Amino acid sequence: MKVIIGVDLGTTSTKAVVYNLQGQVQAHATVSYPLFQETLDMAEEDPDEIFSAVITVLTRVMRQVKISNAELQGVAFSAAMHSLILLDAAKQPLTRAITWADNRAAKYAQQLKQNGLGQTLYQKTGTPIHPMTPLSKLIWLRHEKPELFHKAHYFIGIKDYILEKLFGQLVMDHSLASATGLFNIFNLDWDPKALATAHINAQQLPKLVPTTYQLHGLNPAYAKVTGIAPDVPFIIGASDGVLSNLGVDAIDPGVLAVTIGTSGAVRTVVDHPVTDPQGRLFCYALTPGKWVVGGPVNNGGIVFRWVRDQLFAPEKLTAQQMQVDTYDILTTIAGKIPAGANGLLFHPYLGGERAPIWNANARGSFFGLTRQHTRAHMVRAALEGIVYNLYLVMLQIKKMSGEPKAIQATGGFARSELWRQMLADIFEQKVTIPQSFESSCLGAAVIGMLSLKLTTDLNIVKKMVGKTNVHQPNPANFTIYRELLPIWIRVGQSLAGEYQSIADFQRKYASQATQQAPK
């Protein structure tokens, strides 16, 4: 049986899935690792922990199904976007991996927006100006950690680091490059103006390659540990976002992919690079002739986790004792509350926000609280607020690519029937949930198959996604949401003027709050 392995380097875990060439899962493994958040805006990971996770998951899946190297066709990669690692001349890390969620470059991203340079760069790179981007992070490092910045010989991402250790090659695919803010999406090369703004040169960055690029000659030490022969090809793959579109079969014109995992996104595929006149949407490469346009949100399932941990701690403890999923308990509670949560609105900006408002200082809020509202209303409002925010992203995409024809949804939220129905009701669209396992891993596997000439057409994924769940919008519910959405939008616009003020206050007293927090 011929198989291919898809590996996804995620923000909090690395996954490997073995698929046969029909897309059926043969084995899978996951290894988690911590996110370091030692200050208010920090979000870093240890690159060597992630490398160790890659070796572990590959070793586990090879042993689970006892794959022979004659059966293994290749290993293909997906990775989270916007990470930055500084390396010295010996290619040893000088920093941890600074992730997309790190907001310490907020001031410098704001300066780029205000002086007009940011919009100029966006129109070339397709990457919205935000502290998430390596471009903004490099400016921050140069100003606030100059000794570290000038000591660095290379500036790379997490996938580049993994592949350099495995193969001794420093390469970056066009997809992840197009999420750096340093890559010109029209000529597929590092952009001179962006490099000058970051005060670096192209020799300090990885070699650019297409998403189907193959690496050969796996380091013998890692070949021995994993059981993967040195001559098995590794395919560089792409970013997790664009591969998720592929993995849920959202690559045809007019088909939207909506993802709610820890964070979230709304994306669609177009046949050429395009940018938004107001700089609100990204445009990232998938393969030649396929570009993914969309908007990412910071606040997806991580908000639901906050609700669980901070508002439903007793239920969480009970669930642990009973060995049941706390989230199932919470969605059952929320399901007893009518659509619209009796007028309680929630803006889910607990970690700043990217799309649709692109404001790292944004903060969350409940609006409309009365004595009649309960914790059940609050959890329902939180879930609705996450989807309202994604709906606004969809409206921006609609202006560029037209009315969506279909919605394919994926992510951890898909386990909740209530949340799936909420998406259909708020978007007023039929929502299809493919049951494909780990969409980014499957997308990577399909790119691998394309590279290895095991297929000539990405549409092979249609046969691989498996069964689907379909949710039709409920007219009684979407009538309620039609009334509430304009209020939700206006409230958010009213609060926007104070986001900077409250964020500055929180940063000013952050250390004091930490010292006084109960232990």
Side-chain angles (χ1 to χ4, degrees):
M1 176 180 62
K2 293 182 178 181
V3 298
I4 188 165
I5 300 176
V7 179
D8 179 44
L9 310 173
T11 305
T12 55
S13 66
T14 285
K15 306 176 183 72
V17 183
V18 180
Y19 300 95
N20 65 21
L21 302 191
Q22 290 71 50
Q24 296 166 327
V25 174
Q26 306 301 304
H28 61 89
T30 302
V31 171
S32 299
Y33 30 79
L35 187 66
F36 296 96
Q37 297 179 291
E38 294 153 8
T39 63
L40 182 64
D41 292 315
M42 175 191 282
E44 296 182 344
E45 296 164 336
D46 183 336
D48 287 319
E49 284 192 74
I50 299 175
F51 179 75
S52 177
V54 171
I55 298 300
T56 299
V57 295
L58 287 175
T59 303
R60 287 179 182 172
V61 296
M62 288 292 290
R63 291 176 179 172
Q64 279 178 35
V65 289
K66 298 180 180 178
I67 304 167
S68 74
N69 282 290
E71 294 173 316
L72 179 58
Q73 304 302 293
V75 181
F77 279 84
S78 160
M81 293 175 276
H82 315 301
S83 60
L84 177 66
I85 305 169
L86 275 58
L87 302 183
D88 64 17
K91 298 181 181 175
Q92 296 302 305
L94 297 170
T95 64
R96 292 189 291 219
I98 307 171
T99 73
W100 64 266
D102 195 268
N103 270 332
R104 286 174 290 179
K107 179 173 76 172
Y108 301 98
Q110 187 63 26
Q111 288 173 0
L112 283 177
K113 286 183 179 181
Q114 290 174 344
N115 64 22
L117 178 57
Q119 182 65 5
T120 300
L121 293 175
Y122 165 77
Q123 293 299 337
K124 294 182 176 183
T125 67
T127 308
I129 301 301
H130 188 270
M132 69 180 181
T133 65
L135 169 64
S136 297
K137 293 180 175 95
L138 287 167
I139 298 171
W140 164 69
L141 285 164
R142 184 170 65 85
H143 282 89
E144 301 201 12
K145 298 182 183 290
E147 290 185 11
L148 183 62
F149 179 83
H150 292 296
K151 188 178 179 181
H153 281 245
Y154 303 99
F155 304 96
I156 68 171
I158 186 58
K159 185 163 67 172
D160 321 332
Y161 181 74
I162 301 298
L163 294 176
E164 199 284 326
K165 287 180 72 72
L166 292 175
F167 292 92
Q169 293 187 47
L170 205 49
V171 289
M172 180 181 282
D173 64 83
H174 290 157
S175 179
L176 279 172
S178 60
T180 62
L182 302 167
F183 177 81
N184 189 305
I185 58 175
F186 298 97
N187 66 13
L188 304 183
D189 202 356
W190 298 117
D191 186 77
K193 194 171 188 67
L195 297 185
T197 302
H199 284 250
I200 64 172
N201 60 63
Q203 289 67 46
Q204 294 175 291
L205 296 168
K207 173 187 172 183
L208 292 166
V209 297
T211 56
T212 52
Y213 181 80
Q214 296 180 16
L215 298 99
H216 298 266
L218 178 64
N219 183 304
Y222 301 125
K224 184 177 180 180
V225 172
T226 60
I228 298 174
D231 60 351
V232 169
F234 278 53
I235 297 88
I236 192 167
S239 70
D240 55 357
V242 302
L243 288 176
S244 182
N245 262 62
L246 176 56
V248 296
D249 186 27
I251 57 173
D252 291 334
V255 179
L256 285 183
V258 177
T259 303
I260 308 177
T262 302
S263 56
V266 184
R267 302 175 298 266
T268 194
V269 172
V270 295
D271 61 6
H272 63 282
V274 294
T275 56
D276 170 30
Q278 297 184 48
R280 299 165 301 182
L281 300 175
F282 61 67
C283 181
Y284 299 150
L286 175 54
T287 58
K290 289 194 182 293
W291 296 78
V292 177
V293 172
V297 303
N298 288 357
N299 300 285
I302 198 167
V303 172
F304 199 9
R305 184 189 306 170
W306 174 82
V307 170
R308 179 197 68 184
D309 294 346
Q310 304 303 327
L311 301 181
F312 288 86
E315 286 80 1
K316 179 182 176 182
L317 180 60
T318 300
Q320 289 171 341
Q321 292 170 343
M322 298 174 61
Q323 296 185 326
V324 297
D325 191 336
T326 315
Y327 294 120
D328 290 343
I329 294 174
L330 297 194
T331 53
T332 299
I333 290 171
K336 296 177 181 177
I337 302 299
N342 296 116
L344 181 61
L345 302 177
F346 179 70
H347 288 80
Y349 307 137
L350 303 188
E353 191 51 283
R354 291 180 289 172
I357 60 175
W358 294 101
N359 188 337
N361 293 311
R363 294 296 185 262
S365 61
F366 282 102
F367 177 78
L369 269 171
T370 69
R371 289 192 299 274
Q372 282 68 47
H373 287 119
T374 65
R375 289 186 306 153
H377 290 88
M378 295 175 84
V379 66
R380 171 113 198 179
L383 298 179
E384 290 175 339
I386 293 166
V387 182
Y388 289 158
N389 200 46
L390 290 166
Y391 178 82
L392 290 196
V393 179
M394 182 274 290
L395 291 181
Q396 293 171 8
I397 295 173
K398 181 178 169 182
K399 293 176 183 176
M400 292 178 63
S401 61
E403 190 74 37
K405 299 175 183 176
I407 295 176
Q408 305 283 98
T410 186
F413 96 107
R415 292 192 295 268
S416 165
E417 184 173 354
L418 173 71
W419 215 351
R420 298 194 305 257
Q421 186 61 47
M422 219 176 261
L423 181 65
D425 293 343
I426 291 172
F427 276 59
E428 294 188 39
Q429 285 269 359
K430 180 179 77 172
V431 172
T432 302
I433 316 286
Q435 292 183 345
S436 54
F437 191 85
E438 297 295 350
S439 59
S440 293
C441 287
L442 179 58
V446 173
I447 287 287
M449 291 172 64
L450 187 69
S451 172
L452 296 163
K453 297 184 169 40
L454 298 170
T455 183
T456 58
D457 186 1
L458 293 180
N459 282 305
I460 190 175
V461 77
K462 294 182 187 301
K463 301 176 182 178
M464 303 172 77
V465 295
K467 296 179 180 179
T468 58
N469 290 313
V470 177
H471 291 260
Q472 298 287 351
N474 181 331
N477 290 346
F478 68 63
T479 300
I480 294 292
Y481 292 130
R482 281 182 187 177
E483 285 190 60
L484 286 175
L485 263 167
I487 302 172
W488 187 89
I489 293 169
R490 290 196 300 269
V491 171
Q493 291 170 339
S494 299
L495 293 173
E498 297 301 332
Y499 286 149
Q500 177 79 51
S501 302
I502 197 63
D504 287 345
F505 177 89
Q506 291 169 346
R507 292 188 182 102
K508 180 178 178 181
Y509 292 101
S511 59
Q512 179 179 324
T514 301
Q515 292 169 4
Q516 294 178 353
K519 297 181 180 178

